[in-house]
Amino acid sequence: MVKAAYRKVRKNQGSAGVDEESLEEFQADELNNLYKLWNRMSSGSYFPKPVRSVAIPKAGGKKRELGIPTVSDRIAQQVVKDYLEPRLEMEFMRESYGYRPLKSAHDAIEAVRGHVKHYMWVLDMDIKSFFDEVDHELLMKTVERHVPEAWVKVYIRRWLASPAQHSDGTLILKEGRGTPQGGVISPLLANLFLHYVLDKWLNKYYPMLAFVRYADDIIVHCRTEDEAREVLHAIRIRLKECKLRLNEEKTKIVYCQDYRRPKRKDYAKKFDFLGFTFQPRSAESKRGGRYLAYYPAISRKSESRIMQSWQQVDWHRRNLSLYDIAAEVNVQMRGIFQYYGKVNLISLGRIAMHLGFRLAKWALKKYKRLKGHFSRAYRWIGTLKISYPNLFYHWSFY
């Protein structure tokens, strides 16, 4: 079990924890390190180290705290995850998509896309700081319902209680709530908790509705405006009972307007989910002509984040060639097109155009003959695209 878990952790890579031991350093003494971990887990003497707290930027200038366990702790969590996941998968509902085997974000997007054709109202909900506020005792009640093994419950409690350590060495105690967003076991525990908090509850009290949940991101589809208001009020009460709360600034009722539905000006008409924006869009009919449809495309937030990452890179100051830039950018562009392009390829045109502008600016700085002539530099990039269509990943699409 420990060896199998280690292979998965090694494949997923990841940063060092508070002990500053990297995967490469762990691997240098692999057998001894794995034996120690197995010995301690088998005897009950395994105690996790604090998680390393890392702040990552979010949209709007805010930051999210990630908790990064040590390599040994990631392996130990993977052991328990592998042990529990098969039995919990038998319990989870089909409406849950996040961090589950054989399910993906694309599956969740397609489910929402199918539901908006039949339900004209959406509850776009955001649970406020879920991973920071989940209650330990309530979470352990859901664990105990499915896990009789004492050793598993002991280690889960120890991981939940493990403090976060900042770069200056300061320890932040959990005080009975929160699970580190970044831990291997956290997504499975989150799915189990929300399975009881929302999935089973919605299925019991509102079986006529449809919903899609990806970890703590939830979309609920309703038939009427009154129904949407009623369900939103009920969910607020339900979350309060489970010691959670909605982020009221990000939670809203959305009207999914398309060609079949009358216009409404009193409600929002778009919502974001997993990096995509669902909204009314002009679409081409199979019979010719155009009509108003409601479907997803890459969100402006995702678009802006990608473009800003290129603005912060000074290619001209690093004396890079166009081949060097292509090697650097293609890895990112391949991921962008495989994720966003699978849902809506046409919507990535703005990103492709923006990268063309960045390359033209690089050419202005790089070559004296182009200096001061942006349009000439942009045309030069265009001729390269014709001559070398496979140099940049996205050139084969745009």
Side-chain angles (χ1 to χ4, degrees):
M1 291 168 70
V2 172
K3 283 182 178 179
Y6 170 60
R7 284 194 289 268
K8 291 181 180 179
V9 169
R10 187 175 59 188
K11 182 179 179 181
N12 293 333
Q13 294 297 308
S15 305
V18 294
D19 60 358
E20 299 183 354
E21 182 182 45
S22 66
L23 268 167
E24 291 75 17
E25 291 169 330
F26 185 95
Q27 193 172 1
D29 196 14
E30 183 179 294
L31 290 178
N32 282 332
N33 286 330
L34 292 177
Y35 173 79
K36 288 177 187 176
L37 180 60
W38 166 80
N39 197 326
R40 289 171 182 169
M41 292 192 76
S42 301
S43 64
S45 61
Y46 161 73
F47 286 87
K49 290 182 171 63
V51 296
R52 182 166 68 92
S53 182
V54 177
I56 61 171
K58 290 176 60 179
K62 297 181 180 180
K63 292 186 177 180
R64 172 183 295 162
E65 293 288 333
L66 287 185
I68 302 176
T70 64
V71 174
S72 293
D73 291 338
R74 291 210 298 276
I75 298 169
Q77 290 186 24
Q78 187 69 53
V79 168
V80 173
K81 181 188 176 188
D82 290 346
Y83 186 70
L84 290 183
E85 194 168 54
R87 78 176 75 164
L88 295 182
E89 274 296 312
M90 297 174 65
E91 301 293 330
F92 292 157
M93 296 174 61
R94 63 181 182 181
E95 290 85 356
S96 170
Y97 290 86
Y99 307 105
R100 293 184 59 188
L102 306 179
K103 288 199 170 190
S104 69
H106 289 134
D107 295 329
I109 291 294
E110 284 306 310
V112 173
R113 190 173 187 169
H115 292 327
V116 296
K117 294 178 182 177
H118 305 289
Y119 297 84
M120 69 172 70
W121 297 91
V122 154
L123 295 181
D124 178 18
M125 299 193 309
D126 184 85
I127 299 178
K128 190 173 182 65
S129 305
F130 170 77
F131 284 92
D132 295 328
E133 297 192 2
V134 59
D135 184 80
H136 289 178
E137 291 308 312
L138 290 179
L139 176 56
M140 287 308 300
K141 282 185 179 181
T142 66
V143 171
E144 288 164 0
R145 187 178 180 89
H146 300 280
V147 182
E149 297 89 342
W151 68 273
V152 175
K153 291 184 283 189
V154 164
Y155 291 146
I156 290 177
R157 283 193 178 276
R158 289 178 186 175
W159 287 321
L160 291 176
S162 185
Q165 181 174 314
H166 290 279
S167 56
D168 61 359
T170 305
L171 291 177
I172 307 297
L173 301 179
K174 291 293 182 59
E175 298 180 347
R177 61 179 188 172
T179 178
Q181 192 171 359
V184 174
I185 197 71
S186 295
L188 183 63
L189 296 178
N191 272 336
L192 180 60
F193 190 65
L194 290 173
H195 170 72
Y196 285 100
V197 171
L198 283 173
D199 299 357
K200 285 179 71 70
W201 179 82
L202 282 168
N203 190 57
K204 179 180 179 179
Y205 292 102
Y206 298 97
M208 74 295 293
L209 304 184
F211 70 94
V212 173
R213 182 175 64 79
Y214 193 94
D216 60 331
D217 290 333
I218 307 108
I219 299 295
V220 181
H221 301 268
C222 302
R223 297 168 299 181
T224 66
E225 178 184 355
D226 290 341
E227 189 175 62
R229 289 178 176 276
E230 177 194 337
V231 174
L232 180 57
H233 178 68
I235 287 174
R236 283 196 183 100
I237 296 172
R238 173 62 176 171
L239 290 180
K240 187 176 181 181
E241 291 171 348
C242 300
K243 300 184 180 181
L244 294 172
R245 53 189 173 140
L246 287 177
N247 185 334
E248 298 295 346
E249 294 180 359
K250 295 183 178 180
T251 298
K252 60 181 181 289
I253 297 175
V254 179
Y255 179 61
C256 305
Q257 183 180 321
D258 64 13
Y259 73 98
R260 303 166 298 168
R261 298 162 183 164
K263 292 184 178 180
R264 294 285 299 260
K265 294 184 178 180
D266 49 344
Y267 280 97
K269 294 186 176 59
K270 63 181 180 180
F271 64 92
D272 288 356
F273 185 57
L274 302 180
F276 294 89
T277 296
F278 284 78
Q279 68 178 61
R281 302 176 192 274
S282 177
E284 187 173 348
S285 172
K286 292 180 180 179
R287 298 178 180 179
R290 305 195 70 82
Y291 69 101
L292 187 66
Y294 198 93
Y295 62 91
I298 183 173
S299 70
R300 284 298 174 91
K301 288 182 181 178
S302 302
E303 210 176 56
S304 298
R305 187 176 65 249
I306 293 166
M307 293 177 182
Q308 286 173 5
S309 70
W310 293 331
Q311 291 172 357
Q312 295 168 2
V313 178
D314 294 328
W315 290 321
H316 61 282
R317 293 182 179 177
R318 293 159 55 193
N319 196 29
L320 298 179
S321 69
L322 198 61
Y323 293 99
D324 295 330
I325 296 173
E328 191 175 288
V329 169
N330 281 345
V331 175
Q332 182 187 15
M333 289 299 280
R334 186 175 291 107
I336 291 169
F337 274 72
Q338 288 176 353
Y339 183 70
Y340 296 104
K342 187 174 182 179
V343 175
N344 191 320
L345 184 62
I346 296 175
S347 65
L348 297 180
R350 279 167 50 89
I351 288 177
M353 184 181 297
H354 182 82
L355 182 55
F357 290 152
R358 296 298 303 169
L359 293 174
K361 287 184 178 181
W362 164 82
L364 282 175
K365 301 283 186 179
K366 181 77 172 178
Y367 301 107
K368 291 182 179 179
R369 60 188 174 84
L370 298 174
K371 192 172 182 179
H373 299 280
F374 180 82
S375 58
R376 187 188 300 173
Y378 191 75
R379 287 196 301 270
W380 180 70
I381 295 294
T383 59
L384 289 177
K385 179 180 175 181
I386 297 171
S387 302
Y388 306 95
N390 297 318
L391 180 58
F392 284 89
Y393 179 83
H394 67 285
W395 279 0
S396 60
F397 300 95
Y398 290 96

